[in-house]
Amino acid sequence: MSNEGNKNNGSQAARTIFGIFMIVIYVGMGVLLLINFFKWESGPWEWLRWTGGILFIVYGLWRAYRQFKGIDRNIGDMD
């Protein structure tokens, strides 16, 4: 019984760490796209870089909201 509690704590900790890691990745990638870190050519496709950067940041913020509010935390858990 004690072992099962440790498994749940370990998987919950891993899920939390992975969630925070992905928030940093999404927001970081969005910022890198907005500051043109990759030195992509400016031209007719520049709108795609701006749109992608904004979408990455917005999705990262949405994931952060869900992570810290605890929404969808029990997806995939057995009842």
Side-chain angles (χ1 to χ4, degrees), residues 12-28 60 63-64 67-68 73:
Q12 185 175 0
R15 195 177 304 165
T16 300
I17 291 169
F18 179 74
I20 292 171
F21 176 74
M22 289 308 297
I23 292 166
V24 170
I25 293 295
Y26 282 120
V27 173
R63 279 190 66 127
Q67 179 81 26
F68 294 115
R73 186 159 298 219

Side-chain angles (χ1 to χ4, degrees), residues 1-78:
M1 180 120 176
S2 175
N3 191 19
E4 185 177 316
N6 290 338
K7 279 185 181 179
N8 287 338
N9 285 342
S11 65
Q12 185 175 0
R15 195 177 304 165
T16 300
I17 291 169
F18 179 74
I20 292 171
F21 176 74
M22 289 308 297
I23 292 166
V24 170
I25 293 295
Y26 282 120
V27 173
M29 187 64 186
V31 169
L32 290 178
L33 284 174
L34 290 180
I35 65 171
N36 199 14
F37 178 79
F38 303 107
K39 306 289 188 233
W40 289 343
E41 297 282 330
S42 295
W45 292 98
E46 187 173 3
W47 64 272
L48 188 60
R49 180 176 60 86
W50 285 96
T51 303
I54 291 169
L55 286 176
F56 271 122
I57 291 172
V58 168
Y59 185 67
L61 293 174
W62 172 247
R63 279 190 66 127
Y65 172 76
R66 285 184 13 207
Q67 179 81 26
F68 294 115
K69 281 295 200 177
I71 300 172
D72 299 336
R73 186 159 298 219
N74 59 354
I75 290 178
D77 292 344
M78 301 300 271

